[in-house]
Amino acid sequence: MERPRHQGMAKNTYMRWRLPLVCLLWEVAMIVLFGVFVRFSPEADAHWEEEKREMNLTSDIENDFYFRYPSFQDVHVMIFVGFGFLMTFLKRYGFGAVGFNFLLAAFGIQWALLMQGWFHSFKSGKILIGVENLINADFCVGSVCIAFGAILGKTSPIQLLVMTLFQVTLFAVNEYILLNLLHVKDAGGSMTIHTFGAYFGLTVTRILYRPNLEQCKDKQGSVYHSDLFAMIGTLYLWMYWPSFNSAISDHGDAQHRAAINTYCSLAACVLTTMAFSSMLQKKGKLDMVHIQNATLAGGVAVGTSAEMMLTPYGSLIVGFICGIVSTVGYVYLTPFLESRLHIQDTCGIHNLHAMPGLIGGIVGAITAAAATEDVYGKEGFIKAFDFTGAYQTRTPSVQGGFQAAGIVVSLLIAFAGGALVGAILKLPIWGDAAAENCFEDDIYWEVPEDEESDAYHMHNPDKPASP
Amino acid sequence: MERPRHQGMAKNTYMRWRLPLVCLLWEVAMIVLFGVFVRFSPEADAHWEEEKREMNLTSDIENDFYFRYPSFQDVHVMIFVGFGFLMTFLKRYGFGAVGFNFLLAAFGIQWALLMQGWFHSFKSGKILIGVENLINADFCVGSVCIAFGAILGKTSPIQLLVMTLFQVTLFAVNEYILLNLLHVKDAGGSMTIHTFGAYFGLTVTRILYRPNLEQCKDKQGSVYHSDLFAMIGTLYLWMYWPSFNSAISDHGDAQHRAAINTYCSLAACVLTTMAFSSMLQKKGKLDMVHIQNATLAGGVAVGTSAEMMLTPYGSLIVGFICGIVSTVGYVYLTPFLESRLHIQDTCGIHNLHAMPGLIGGIVGAITAAAATEDVYGKEGFIKAFDFTGAYQTRTPSVQGGFQAAGIVVSLLIAFAGGALVGAILKLPIWGDAAAENCFEDDIYWEVPEDEESDAYHMHNPDKPASP
Amino acid sequence: MERPRHQGMAKNTYMRWRLPLVCLLWEVAMIVLFGVFVRFSPEADAHWEEEKREMNLTSDIENDFYFRYPSFQDVHVMIFVGFGFLMTFLKRYGFGAVGFNFLLAAFGIQWALLMQGWFHSFKSGKILIGVENLINADFCVGSVCIAFGAILGKTSPIQLLVMTLFQVTLFAVNEYILLNLLHVKDAGGSMTIHTFGAYFGLTVTRILYRPNLEQCKDKQGSVYHSDLFAMIGTLYLWMYWPSFNSAISDHGDAQHRAAINTYCSLAACVLTTMAFSSMLQKKGKLDMVHIQNATLAGGVAVGTSAEMMLTPYGSLIVGFICGIVSTVGYVYLTPFLESRLHIQDTCGIHNLHAMPGLIGGIVGAITAAAATEDVYGKEGFIKAFDFTGAYQTRTPSVQGGFQAAGIVVSLLIAFAGGALVGAILKLPIWGDAAAENCFEDDIYWEVPEDEESDAYHMHNPDKPASP
């Protein structure tokens, strides 16, 4: 069981010039593009006083900032602490989980502001950004964080940055097709964020398949405290998900409703996750992996429909089902995907984002198709689905059809994009680690020589302590 | 010192069918009841546009969502991260602390939406829910989290769910008596949440008294990192408590004032807690147990009066006293309660919630009795105490009397309810662990085979490492 | 290598009477001063209904509470969790980091409410406080938390309280000179908070220079999990910094713009920090110290200019530069300062706050000097710089000059104040630990006898396990 790891490190994973080069060049590109294109939206511009008069607003509180900023901050926490810490469950990959998530998200939000800006906020040659753009950028990056979950521990930071660049681009294209061409509703992103992000990530990890990964099976597990760190991520995602699903909904009732629906769905999801976690295990004990992940499926699955009149009991039903589907997925499907389809899904994003995302898309299509003026009120009906202008004759059932089409488009772009990006990431120039060094921070990080680490080495006598 | 623990585990604590059954059945019941009863409030319903016209509102920003949602999210964090992590201080019960708190709170908020809804939001056969209901549900569950603190480590998850079912029910009854029949003010819940929750929990733990608990005295302590995890809980409770006490106060000055009073009280409380923690220890060192808990007593103790004109210096005085009372309680009263009264209070909720809750009720009664039109202004006086309709002739001193009566009612229902529920939980069907297995996650959780755990076993040579 | 540590502990660091005395006396002083001076602002007072009529406000939502409370809570989290956990990176000083930060901040906010109140909110003999005062008090304490970073692990809690008392006082004086006499803009506090706080702290640590500190070099490092705890602090500071810089800006566009600028600057800063962290290390690995700290420099450096029309690309440039400056500072400057100038800067605040703070002041001066009516609009220009009353003839370039003067004043007061306070803290009465006991919790805290601690001792055979 000899391991030529120092050789591998010296040869392949040396980041000293490659990572700085990518970071600096890309950041310079961002500055140039921002300089050319990005300006403040009227609500963030010093001309706001004039804007206010024009729009006939009587108070500063009508600024979109006050409608959305608290939700934005919650979403921000979900992306950086939520996703970051959720992935710290691995015993020796906490730095990579939090740190690389930090890196890719910080780059991704800038690129997303541009990509989404060109599609949605482009006016007379400039992208005008406000708080809603910040939320959308965070959303877009959320889909990258999801994909990161599939390849966690197996890629170099450069690969992650490359993936972010492409995935954000594809996300913006997919989002444009859905929201603008198909005129689909997807405020919480069941389709655009979760379905797209998860199947994209699963395709990438399939293409990056590593046959010898069982070599480091011992490092794929958690330790006691790493599971508690991961629970910080879980709980922040769980608590703030109502803000996520309501963050860019219409002002007023839509935001209010989206928060309530999500809250209900998530609550139900916890109960069925606990039930199936215990039931599917011989000893009847609860499994932290399920609690950390499947409890969140309810939030994913109402991403499309939360702002619709799903009703609280409808939300409970969705959450109920998703807790089951997700937990069953962790127990039976993840091992199957790995052994048969060679999809190595470190965090189980298939169970947390892919399946619940699909369910969310379908629930959204059904909820839209079932909408009536009776339930929504005449004005509410038009406002909820934005049946104005070119769409004023669209009926709920047609809308339902377009919603369903949105799922298909998201899947197609995810598979095609994931295949392309996977192929790019397979090039031998990005500095990824050898299979036996996966899930280990000390390839890319200065790791403190600590007692725990010594204890760890003690139990792995074949691995020499670092010099 | 032989331990027949594997036998105990195999026999009693097997959750595989019982826990799933309870979770699934109860969740189905929730779905049915929500389906029959729960609908959106007008502010979350798609008919909001019509509502807005009727209520003569000019802007969506007048939706209650924008008055209360940020506070709601802070309260939500307190319940799930605050209480959850506060209880992770035990060295080997972190999964149970965070995980069971998550389970009971997720169930409890659903049941609370129903129970509180029937009492307070029931209109033409339907419970109409909005963001204020979500906050109240979190509040209600807060009282269960408090009671959980007393029995932490000694009960099965089923017992916790059973307790939640009953406690939420009794909470709603008590709350109805106080708010509606006695017309008492208690926005931050000194009486309804803390006094009720704590004495309820203490009664339950008294009835569940375990004579041999000193067997696992070694597991009742903390380790270095578990104390830091607990500080996450402490700080989030401490920081967000101003949101807790102001979350359901009247719009405008009342919310504003409640936040300021709570902020002041909490600040003072930290100083006296530190002072007495050092003073009451021979070596003069600070004790993490006090810092984690007694620093919060100031928030509990202004729960009733925060929205009144307590004034900043009044708040400082309350916080000053409660830091002392609570710390002294940890040093002298908790051991006394355990040895003499057989009240085994794992987290010391008597010091953090029971005594400060009582003080809070009394401070509220005094502050109400001392109210004058001079201090509040004519309109402010009526608005602050809702002296309208049937209550328009009530005087401050009468109000003070009713406030005091509220304390007594809360205590009575807590004792009676706690006795009843304690008796139910004593039935030998709920799968609780034997005394020697208390405070240990691996009874109900899959615990990773980690190095720390090995290290732990190393120091407990009589305990064999799990296979 | 004999260590007479128990003697040292028994003699010097015994806190039992000194710490309680200081805490209790000072808290009593706070109560008295609050009683004499502090009352609610009109927006938090029960007379609000009358106030509303007078100010012609139509809705409670116009209460300043709803403009600022969400930002306040974010700032609050930054002070207590952000700074507290950022400093837990030391392997055996987590209790001190979080606990002493808690203590000094809780005292500091009270004293800051008074000091800032006398200068800014004093009306007919009373200080009238509202949510903006709470934010300003947190800001003021932020500068103390920064200074704490320089002396972390080397001072007693009493020294920290003494430093807080003086530093808050000097902060308020400096702030008054800048904001009121020089009429300088500094909403995010590049000058008043960061430059002042950092150079104050650096001066204090210079005066408290400990020649033998290399004795405990082994305790100045981190362990794996302590680095993850520190990342909690980092991320909360990073995520909420847009709230920090926008919290007290003018309602409407200014708050909106400040948040966007800060978001952009911080994002760019992450990329250059990662680049230089890898580049400056032979093995090309990332260093957690840089990620934990230098990623935040971008927030510091737009503290003055964020509410101005810095523009998103301007913010990116500032963040770009500061990530580099800060990381380079950690690698080259901190060792230099320690070895040559005898400035022992535990957390490297020179790199995170001092240099970026100076840059922030300069960027603010330039941005102000470059302001034109064309960019801001006629009304926006006057509103942004408050060119009204006595200042209505001030030009942008003059404003730029005053901004620059603000930097100089802040530096002067920081150096002079730091020297004075350092001299006071050098008195041998405050109970600080001997050099060999620095960076160790068990001098001032009851530390659990845990396995990790044993493991730690195992590797330090010269240190006997505590009895």
Side-chain angles (χ1 to χ4, degrees), chain B residues 126-145:
Chain B
K126 299 292 173 200
I127 296 166
L128 304 181
I129 65 171
V131 64
E132 197 172 333
N133 299 69
L134 306 191
I135 296 170
N136 276 311
D138 272 15
F139 277 6
C140 176
V141 160
S143 85
V144 185
C145 299

Side-chain angles (χ1 to χ4, degrees), chain B residues 249-370:
Chain B
S249 290
D250 283 341
H251 293 172
D253 60 304
Q255 280 197 286
H256 203 150
R257 189 163 60 242
I260 295 173
N261 280 329
T262 310
Y263 174 98
C264 290
S265 177
L266 286 163
C269 192
V270 174
L271 275 279
T272 51
T273 297
M274 295 271 184
F276 274 73
S277 181
S278 170
M279 203 197 297
L280 298 179
Q281 216 257 7
K282 264 188 208 158
K283 296 191 220 149
K285 294 184 184 183
L286 296 164
D287 189 328
M288 264 297 184
V289 171
H290 308 153
I291 312 308
Q292 282 158 9
N293 292 281
T295 51
L296 302 167
V300 174
V302 295
T304 301
S305 55
E307 62 175 6
M308 302 177 190
M309 290 292 281
L310 180 59
T311 73
Y313 69 90
S315 306
L316 291 187
I317 293 170
V318 175
F320 187 95
I321 293 168
C322 283
I324 296 171
V325 169
S326 188
T327 309
V328 169
Y330 273 99
V331 177
Y332 297 113
L333 222 51
T334 298
F336 173 84
L337 290 179
E338 178 152 1
S339 61
R340 298 301 171 88
L341 304 185
H342 289 179
I343 297 173
Q344 294 160 326
D345 178 5
T346 311
C347 295
I349 64 165
H350 186 261
N351 313 305
L352 171 47
H353 297 283
M355 291 190 296
L358 284 179
I359 294 173
I362 295 165
V363 170
I366 295 169
T367 313

Side-chain angles (χ1 to χ4, degrees), chain B residues 152-197:
Chain B
L152 183 73
K154 299 176 292 186
T155 48
S156 76
I158 302 179
Q159 283 178 307
L160 294 174
L161 284 171
V162 171
M163 185 177 84
T164 305
L165 180 74
F166 283 100
Q167 193 180 347
V168 166
T169 311
L170 290 163
F171 178 99
V173 171
N174 183 51
E175 187 187 43
Y176 177 76
I177 296 173
L178 264 65
L179 304 190
N180 295 48
L181 304 187
L182 303 179
H183 196 71
V184 149
K185 303 299 282 183
D186 193 23
S190 290
M191 293 178 279
T192 53
I193 301 169
H194 299 287
T195 302
F196 169 76

Side-chain angles (χ1 to χ4, degrees), chain C residues 111-396:
Chain C
W111 180 230
L113 281 175
L114 288 165
M115 280 303 305
Q116 295 180 314
W118 282 315
F119 278 123
H120 301 289
S121 310
F122 201 60
K123 262 159 217 160
S124 27
K126 298 292 172 198
I127 297 167
L128 303 182
I129 65 171
V131 64
E132 198 173 333
N133 299 69
L134 306 192
I135 297 171
N136 276 313
D138 272 14
F139 277 5
C140 176
V141 161
S143 85
V144 185
C145 299
I146 291 166
F148 178 32
I151 55 176
L152 183 73
K154 299 176 291 185
T155 47
S156 76
I158 301 180
Q159 282 178 307
L160 294 174
L161 285 170
V162 171
M163 184 178 84
T164 305
L165 180 73
F166 283 99
Q167 193 179 347
V168 166
T169 310
L170 290 164
F171 178 99
V173 170
N174 183 50
E175 187 187 43
Y176 177 76
I177 296 173
L178 264 67
L179 303 190
N180 294 46
L181 304 187
L182 303 180
H183 196 70
V184 149
K185 303 298 284 184
D186 194 23
S190 291
M191 294 178 281
T192 53
I193 302 168
H194 299 287
T195 302
F196 169 76
Y199 284 103
F200 181 94
L202 291 166
T203 312
V204 168
T205 198
R206 172 65 192 81
I207 293 186
L208 297 181
Y209 176 63
R210 288 165 176 275
N212 303 315
L213 207 58
E214 74 281 2
Q215 281 187 19
C216 47
K217 208 74 191 171
D218 60 313
K219 280 179 284 172
Q220 273 198 71
S222 61
V223 290
Y224 196 68
H225 280 164
S226 73
D227 268 327
L228 282 177
F229 278 115
M231 277 306 287
I232 297 175
T234 298
L235 287 176
Y236 274 98
L237 288 168
W238 192 89
M239 297 180 301
Y240 286 163
W241 215 296
S243 301
F244 191 94
N245 282 348
S246 67
I248 57 162
S249 290
D250 282 341
H251 292 172
D253 60 304
Q255 279 197 287
H256 202 152
R257 190 163 57 243
I260 295 173
N261 280 329
T262 310
Y263 174 98
C264 289
S265 177
L266 286 163
C269 192
V270 174
L271 276 279
T272 52
T273 297
M274 294 272 182
F276 274 74
S277 180
S278 171
M279 203 197 296
L280 298 179
Q281 215 257 6
K282 265 190 209 160
K283 297 192 218 149
K285 295 184 183 182
L286 297 164
D287 189 327
M288 264 297 185
V289 171
H290 308 154
I291 313 308
Q292 281 158 8
N293 292 282
T295 52
L296 302 168
V300 174
V302 295
T304 302
S305 55
E307 62 174 7
M308 302 178 191
M309 288 293 281
L310 179 60
T311 74
Y313 70 89
S315 307
L316 290 188
I317 294 170
V318 174
F320 187 96
I321 293 167
C322 285
I324 296 171
V325 168
S326 187
T327 308
V328 170
Y330 274 99
V331 177
Y332 298 112
L333 223 52
T334 298
F336 174 84
L337 291 179
E338 177 152 1
S339 60
R340 299 299 172 88
L341 304 186
H342 289 178
I343 297 172
Q344 294 160 326
D345 178 6
T346 311
C347 295
I349 63 166
H350 186 260
N351 313 303
L352 171 47
H353 297 282
M355 290 190 296
L358 284 180
I359 294 173
I362 295 165
V363 170
I366 295 170
T367 312
T372 63
E373 280 200 10
D374 192 43
V375 169
Y376 286 77
K378 202 176 164 62
E379 288 163 280
F381 180 73
I382 293 166
K383 200 176 147 198
F385 296 96
D386 202 14
F387 285 158
T388 54
Y391 303 99
Q392 68 184 13
T393 57
R394 193 183 270 193
T395 62

Side-chain angles (χ1 to χ4, degrees), chain A residues 224 243 255 281-282 285 383, chain B residues 14 66 69 441-442 446:
Chain A
Y224 195 69
S243 300
Q255 280 197 286
Q281 216 257 9
K282 265 190 208 159
K285 294 183 183 182
K383 199 176 147 198
Chain B
Y14 193 61
Y66 303 103
Y69 189 73
D441 270 333
D442 66 4
E446 284 288 303

Side-chain angles (χ1 to χ4, degrees), chain A residues 257-412:
Chain A
R257 190 163 57 244
I260 295 173
N261 280 329
T262 309
Y263 174 97
C264 288
S265 177
L266 286 163
C269 193
V270 174
L271 275 278
T272 52
T273 297
M274 295 271 184
F276 274 74
S277 181
S278 170
M279 204 197 295
L280 297 179
Q281 216 257 9
K282 265 190 208 159
K283 296 192 218 150
K285 294 183 183 182
L286 296 164
D287 189 329
M288 263 298 183
V289 172
H290 308 153
I291 312 310
Q292 281 158 7
N293 292 282
T295 51
L296 303 168
V300 174
V302 295
T304 303
S305 54
E307 62 175 6
M308 302 177 191
M309 288 293 281
L310 180 60
T311 73
Y313 70 90
S315 306
L316 290 187
I317 293 172
V318 174
F320 187 96
I321 292 169
C322 284
I324 297 172
V325 167
S326 188
T327 310
V328 170
Y330 274 98
V331 177
Y332 297 113
L333 224 51
T334 298
F336 173 85
L337 290 179
E338 178 152 2
S339 61
R340 299 299 171 88
L341 303 185
H342 289 178
I343 297 171
Q344 293 160 325
D345 178 5
T346 311
C347 295
I349 64 165
H350 186 261
N351 313 303
L352 171 47
H353 297 282
M355 290 191 295
L358 284 180
I359 293 174
I362 295 166
V363 169
I366 295 171
T367 312
T372 64
E373 280 199 10
D374 192 44
V375 169
Y376 286 78
K378 203 176 163 62
E379 288 163 281
F381 180 72
I382 293 167
K383 199 176 147 198
F385 296 97
D386 202 12
F387 285 158
T388 54
Y391 303 99
Q392 69 183 10
T393 59
R394 194 182 267 191
T395 62
S397 52
V398 171
Q399 178 70 23
F402 277 99
Q403 296 280 144
I407 307 172
V408 177
V409 170
S410 299
L411 280 173
L412 291 177

Side-chain angles (χ1 to χ4, degrees), chain A residues 4 38 54 122 129 160 174 177 221 233 245 272 275 286 289 322 354 367:
Chain A
V38 180
E54 265 170 50
F122 201 59
I129 64 171
L160 294 173
N174 183 52
I177 296 173
N245 283 347
T272 52
L286 296 164
V289 172
C322 284
T367 312

